[in-house]
Coordinates of all heavy atoms in Angstrom, one line a residue:
E42 N 104.4 104.2 105.4 CA 105.3 104.2 106.6 C 105.1 102.9 107.3 O 104.0 102.5 107.6 CB 104.9 105.4 107.5 CG 105.9 105.5 108.7 CD 105.8 106.8 109.4 OE1 104.9 107.7 109.1 OE2 106.5 107.0 110.4
L43 N 106.2 102.3 107.6 CA 106.2 101.0 108.3 C 107.0 101.1 109.6 O 108.1 101.7 109.6 CB 106.9 99.9 107.4 CG 106.4 99.8 105.9 CD1 107.2 98.7 105.2 CD2 105.0 99.5 105.9
H44 N 106.5 100.4 110.6 CA 107.3 100.3 111.9 C 107.3 98.8 112.3 O 106.2 98.2 112.4 CB 106.6 101.1 113.0 CG 106.7 102.6 112.9 ND1 107.8 103.2 113.3 CD2 105.9 103.5 112.3 CE1 107.7 104.5 113.1 NE2 106.5 104.7 112.5
N45 N 108.5 98.3 112.5 CA 108.6 96.9 113.0 C 107.9 95.9 112.1 O 107.3 94.9 112.6 CB 108.2 96.8 114.5 CG 109.0 97.6 115.4 OD1 110.2 97.8 115.1 ND2 108.4 98.1 116.4
F46 N 107.9 96.2 110.8 CA 107.2 95.3 109.9 C 108.2 94.4 109.2 O 109.0 94.9 108.4 CB 106.3 96.1 108.9 CG 105.4 95.3 108.1 CD1 104.1 95.0 108.6 CD2 105.7 94.8 106.9 CE1 103.2 94.2 107.9 CE2 104.9 94.0 106.2 CZ 103.6 93.7 106.7
M47 N 108.1 93.1 109.4 CA 108.9 92.1 108.7 C 110.4 92.5 108.9 O 111.0 92.5 110.0 CB 108.5 91.9 107.3 CG 107.2 91.2 107.2 SD 106.6 90.9 105.5 CE 107.6 89.5 105.1
T48 N 111.0 93.0 107.8 CA 112.5 93.3 107.8 C 112.8 94.7 108.3 O 114.0 95.1 108.5 CB 113.1 93.1 106.4 OG1 112.4 93.9 105.5 CG2 113.0 91.6 106.0
Y49 N 111.8 95.6 108.4 CA 112.0 97.0 108.7 C 111.8 97.4 110.1 O 110.8 97.0 110.8 CB 111.0 97.8 107.8 CG 111.3 97.7 106.4 CD1 110.5 96.9 105.5 CD2 112.4 98.4 105.8 CE1 110.8 96.8 104.2 CE2 112.6 98.4 104.5 CZ 111.9 97.6 103.7 OH 112.1 97.5 102.3
D50 N 112.7 98.2 110.7 CA 112.5 98.9 111.9 C 111.6 100.1 111.7 O 110.5 100.2 112.3 CB 113.8 99.4 112.5 CG 114.8 98.3 112.9 OD1 114.3 97.3 113.5 OD2 116.0 98.5 112.8
H51 N 112.0 100.9 110.7 CA 111.2 102.1 110.4 C 111.6 102.5 109.0 O 112.8 102.6 108.7 CB 111.4 103.2 111.4 CG 110.6 104.4 111.0 ND1 111.1 105.7 110.9 CD2 109.2 104.6 110.8 CE1 110.2 106.6 110.6 NE2 109.0 105.9 110.6
V52 N 110.6 102.7 108.1 CA 110.9 103.2 106.8 C 109.7 104.1 106.3 O 108.5 103.8 106.7 CB 111.2 102.1 105.8 CG1 109.9 101.2 105.5 CG2 111.7 102.6 104.5
I53 N 110.0 105.1 105.6 CA 109.0 106.0 104.9 C 109.3 106.0 103.4 O 110.5 106.2 103.1 CB 109.0 107.4 105.5 CG1 108.6 107.3 107.0 CG2 108.0 108.3 104.8 CD1 108.7 108.7 107.7
S54 N 108.3 105.9 102.6 CA 108.5 106.0 101.1 C 107.4 106.8 100.6 O 106.3 106.8 101.0 CB 108.5 104.6 100.5 OG 108.6 104.6 99.1
W55 N 107.7 107.6 99.5 CA 106.7 108.4 98.8 C 106.6 108.0 97.4 O 107.4 108.5 96.5 CB 107.1 109.9 98.9 CG 107.0 110.5 100.2 CD1 106.0 111.1 100.8 CD2 108.1 110.5 101.2 NE1 106.3 111.5 102.1 CE2 107.5 111.1 102.4 CE3 109.4 110.0 101.3 CZ2 108.3 111.3 103.5 CZ3 110.1 110.2 102.4 CH2 109.6 110.9 103.5
P56 N 105.7 107.0 97.0 CA 105.5 106.6 95.7 C 105.0 107.7 94.7 O 104.4 108.6 95.2 CB 104.5 105.5 95.8 CG 104.3 105.2 97.2 CD 104.8 106.4 98.0
G57 N 105.3 107.5 93.5 CA 104.8 108.5 92.5 C 103.3 108.1 92.0 O 102.8 107.1 92.4
P58 N 102.7 109.0 91.2 CA 101.3 108.8 90.8 C 101.1 107.8 89.8 O 99.9 107.4 89.6 CB 101.0 110.2 90.3 CG 102.2 110.7 89.7 CD 103.3 110.2 90.7
K59 N 102.1 107.3 89.1 CA 101.9 106.3 88.1 C 102.3 104.9 88.6 O 102.2 104.6 89.8 CB 102.6 106.7 86.8 CG 102.3 108.1 86.3 CD 101.0 108.2 85.7 CE 100.8 109.6 85.1 NZ 99.4 109.8 84.8
I60 N 102.9 104.1 87.7 CA 103.4 102.8 88.1 C 104.7 103.0 89.0 O 105.5 103.9 88.7 CB 103.7 101.9 86.9 CG1 103.9 100.5 87.3 CG2 104.8 102.5 86.1 CD1 103.8 99.5 86.1
N61 N 104.8 102.1 90.0 CA 106.0 102.2 90.8 C 106.6 100.8 90.9 O 105.9 99.8 90.9 CB 105.6 102.6 92.3 CG 105.3 104.1 92.3 OD1 106.1 104.9 92.5 ND2 104.0 104.4 92.2
F62 N 107.9 100.7 90.9 CA 108.7 99.5 91.0 C 109.5 99.5 92.3 O 110.0 100.5 92.7 CB 109.6 99.3 89.8 CG 108.9 99.2 88.5 CD1 108.7 100.3 87.7 CD2 108.5 98.0 88.0 CE1 108.0 100.2 86.5 CE2 107.8 97.9 86.8 CZ 107.6 99.0 86.0
I63 N 109.6 98.4 92.9 CA 110.4 98.2 94.1 C 111.5 97.3 93.7 O 111.3 96.1 93.4 CB 109.6 97.6 95.3 CG1 108.4 98.5 95.6 CG2 110.5 97.4 96.5 CD1 107.4 97.9 96.6
L64 N 112.7 97.8 93.7 CA 113.9 97.1 93.3 C 114.9 96.9 94.4 O 115.0 97.8 95.3 CB 114.6 97.9 92.1 CG 113.7 98.2 90.9 CD1 114.5 99.1 90.0 CD2 113.3 97.0 90.2
G65 N 115.6 95.8 94.4 CA 116.6 95.6 95.4 C 117.1 94.1 95.4 O 116.5 93.3 94.7
R66 N 118.1 93.9 96.1 CA 118.7 92.6 96.2 C 117.8 91.6 96.9 O 116.9 92.0 97.6 CB 120.0 92.6 96.9 CG 121.1 93.3 96.1 CD 122.5 93.1 96.8 NE 123.5 93.3 95.8 CZ 124.5 94.2 96.0 NH1 124.5 94.9 97.1 NH2 125.4 94.4 95.0
N67 N 118.0 90.3 96.7 CA 117.3 89.3 97.4 C 117.4 89.5 98.9 O 118.4 89.7 99.4 CB 117.8 87.9 97.0 CG 117.0 86.8 97.4 OD1 115.8 87.0 97.6 ND2 117.6 85.6 97.6
G68 N 116.2 89.5 99.6 CA 116.2 89.6 101.0 C 116.3 91.1 101.5 O 116.4 91.3 102.7
S69 N 116.2 92.0 100.6 CA 116.3 93.4 101.0 C 115.0 94.1 101.5 O 115.0 95.2 101.9 CB 116.9 94.3 99.8 OG 116.0 94.3 98.7
G70 N 113.9 93.4 101.4 CA 112.6 93.9 101.9 C 111.6 94.3 100.8 O 110.6 95.0 101.2
K71 N 111.8 94.0 99.6 CA 110.8 94.4 98.5 C 109.5 93.8 98.8 O 108.5 94.5 98.8 CB 111.3 93.9 97.2 CG 112.7 94.4 96.8 CD 113.2 93.9 95.4 CE 113.3 92.4 95.4 NZ 114.4 91.8 96.3
S72 N 109.4 92.5 99.1 CA 108.2 91.8 99.3 C 107.5 92.3 100.6 O 106.3 92.3 100.8 CB 108.4 90.3 99.4 OG 108.7 89.8 98.2
S73 N 108.3 92.7 101.6 CA 107.8 93.3 102.8 C 106.9 94.5 102.6 O 105.9 94.7 103.2 CB 108.9 93.7 103.8 OG 109.7 92.5 104.2
V74 N 107.4 95.4 101.7 CA 106.6 96.6 101.3 C 105.3 96.2 100.7 O 104.2 96.7 101.0 CB 107.4 97.5 100.4 CG1 106.6 98.7 99.9 CG2 108.7 98.0 101.1
V75 N 105.3 95.2 99.7 CA 104.1 94.8 99.1 C 103.2 94.1 100.1 O 102.0 94.4 100.0 CB 104.5 93.8 97.9 CG1 103.2 93.2 97.3 CG2 105.3 94.5 96.9
C76 N 103.7 93.3 101.0 CA 102.8 92.7 102.0 C 102.2 93.8 102.9 O 101.0 93.7 103.2 CB 103.6 91.8 102.9 SG 104.1 90.2 102.0
A77 N 103.0 94.8 103.2 CA 102.5 95.9 104.1 C 101.3 96.6 103.4 O 100.3 96.9 104.0 CB 103.6 96.8 104.4
I78 N 101.5 96.9 102.1 CA 100.4 97.6 101.4 C 99.1 96.7 101.4 O 98.0 97.2 101.7 CB 100.9 97.9 100.0 CG1 102.0 99.0 100.0 CG2 99.7 98.4 99.1 CD1 102.7 99.2 98.7
A79 N 99.3 95.5 101.0 CA 98.1 94.6 101.0 C 97.4 94.5 102.3 O 96.2 94.6 102.4 CB 98.6 93.2 100.5
L80 N 98.2 94.3 103.4 CA 97.5 94.1 104.7 C 96.9 95.4 105.1 O 95.8 95.4 105.7 CB 98.6 93.6 105.7 CG 99.1 92.2 105.5 CD1 100.2 91.9 106.5 CD2 97.9 91.2 105.6
C81 N 97.5 96.5 104.9 CA 96.9 97.8 105.3 C 95.7 98.1 104.5 O 94.7 98.7 105.0 CB 98.0 98.9 105.1 SG 97.5 100.5 106.0
C82 N 95.6 97.6 103.3 CA 94.4 97.8 102.4 C 93.3 96.7 102.7 O 92.4 96.6 101.9 CB 94.8 97.8 101.0 SG 95.7 99.3 100.5
G83 N 93.6 95.9 103.7 CA 92.5 94.9 104.1 C 92.7 93.5 103.6 O 91.8 92.7 103.9
S84 N 93.7 93.2 102.9 CA 93.9 91.8 102.5 C 94.2 90.9 103.6 O 94.7 91.3 104.6 CB 95.1 91.7 101.5 OG 94.8 92.2 100.2
S85 N 93.9 89.6 103.5 CA 94.2 88.6 104.5 C 95.6 88.1 104.3 O 96.0 88.1 103.1 CB 93.1 87.5 104.5 OG 93.3 86.8 103.3
P86 N 96.2 87.6 105.3 CA 97.5 87.0 105.1 C 97.5 85.9 104.1 O 98.4 85.7 103.3 CB 97.9 86.6 106.5 CG 97.2 87.4 107.4 CD 95.9 87.7 106.7
S87 N 96.4 85.1 104.1 CA 96.4 83.9 103.2 C 96.3 84.4 101.7 O 96.8 83.7 100.9 CB 95.2 83.0 103.6 OG 94.0 83.8 103.5
F88 N 95.7 85.5 101.5 CA 95.6 86.0 100.1 C 97.0 86.4 99.6 O 97.3 86.1 98.4 CB 94.7 87.3 100.0 CG 94.8 87.9 98.6 CD1 94.0 87.3 97.6 CD2 95.6 89.0 98.3 CE1 94.1 87.9 96.3 CE2 95.6 89.5 97.0 CZ 94.9 89.0 96.0
I89 N 97.8 86.9 100.5 CA 99.2 87.3 100.1 C 100.0 86.1 99.8 O 100.9 86.1 98.9 CB 99.8 88.2 101.2 CG1 99.0 89.5 101.3 CG2 101.3 88.5 100.8 CD1 99.4 90.3 102.6
G90 N 99.7 85.0 100.6 CA 100.4 83.8 100.4 C 101.7 83.6 101.1 O 102.5 82.7 100.9
R91 N 102.0 84.5 102.1 CA 103.2 84.4 102.9 C 103.0 83.8 104.2 O 104.0 83.3 104.8 CB 103.7 85.9 103.1 CG 104.3 86.5 101.8 CD 105.7 86.8 102.0 NE 106.4 86.8 100.7 CZ 107.7 86.9 100.6 NH1 108.4 87.0 101.7 NH2 108.2 87.0 99.5
S92 N 101.8 83.9 104.8 CA 101.6 83.4 106.1 C 100.1 83.3 106.3 O 99.3 83.8 105.5 CB 102.1 84.4 107.1 OG 101.8 84.0 108.4
S93 N 99.7 82.6 107.4 CA 98.3 82.5 107.7 C 97.8 83.4 108.8 O 96.6 83.6 109.1 CB 97.9 81.1 108.1 OG 98.7 80.7 109.2
T94 N 98.8 84.1 109.5 CA 98.4 85.0 110.6 C 99.1 86.4 110.5 O 100.2 86.5 109.9 CB 98.9 84.4 112.0 OG1 100.3 84.4 112.1 CG2 98.3 83.0 112.2
L95 N 98.4 87.4 110.9 CA 99.0 88.7 110.9 C 100.3 88.8 111.8 O 101.2 89.6 111.5 CB 98.0 89.7 111.4 CG 96.8 90.0 110.5 CD1 95.7 90.8 111.2 CD2 97.3 90.7 109.2
Q96 N 100.3 88.1 112.9 CA 101.4 88.2 113.8 C 102.8 87.8 113.1 O 103.8 88.3 113.5 CB 101.2 87.3 115.0 CG 100.1 87.8 115.9 CD 98.7 87.7 115.3 OE1 98.4 86.8 114.5 NE2 97.9 88.7 115.7
D97 N 102.7 87.0 112.1 CA 104.0 86.6 111.4 C 104.6 87.8 110.7 O 105.8 87.7 110.2 CB 103.7 85.5 110.4 CG 103.4 84.2 111.1 OD1 103.8 84.0 112.3 OD2 102.7 83.3 110.5
F98 N 103.9 88.9 110.5 CA 104.4 90.1 109.8 C 105.1 91.0 110.8 O 105.7 92.0 110.3 CB 103.3 90.8 109.0 CG 102.8 89.9 107.9 CD1 101.7 89.1 108.1 CD2 103.5 89.9 106.7 CE1 101.3 88.2 107.0 CE2 103.0 89.1 105.6 CZ 101.9 88.3 105.8
I99 N 105.0 90.8 112.1 CA 105.7 91.6 113.1 C 107.2 91.2 113.1 O 107.5 90.0 113.2 CB 105.0 91.4 114.5 CG1 103.5 91.8 114.4 CG2 105.8 92.3 115.5 CD1 102.7 91.5 115.6

Side-chain angles (χ1 to χ4, degrees):
E42 186 166 3
L43 312 178
H44 288 276
N45 297 327
F46 192 88
M47 294 180 76
T48 58
Y49 292 102
D50 291 324
H51 181 233
V52 67
I53 299 175
S54 177
W55 291 270
K59 306 288 183 195
I60 193 166
N61 288 273
F62 295 93
I63 302 170
L64 306 172
R66 291 191 161 123
N67 191 24
S69 64
K71 302 175 300 293
S72 294
S73 296
V74 174
V75 175
C76 289
I78 292 168
L80 292 174
C81 195
C82 290
S84 287
S85 68
S87 59
F88 174 80
I89 298 167
R91 289 239 157 189
S92 175
S93 60
T94 69
L95 290 171
Q96 289 69 32
D97 291 338
F98 294 92
I99 300 171

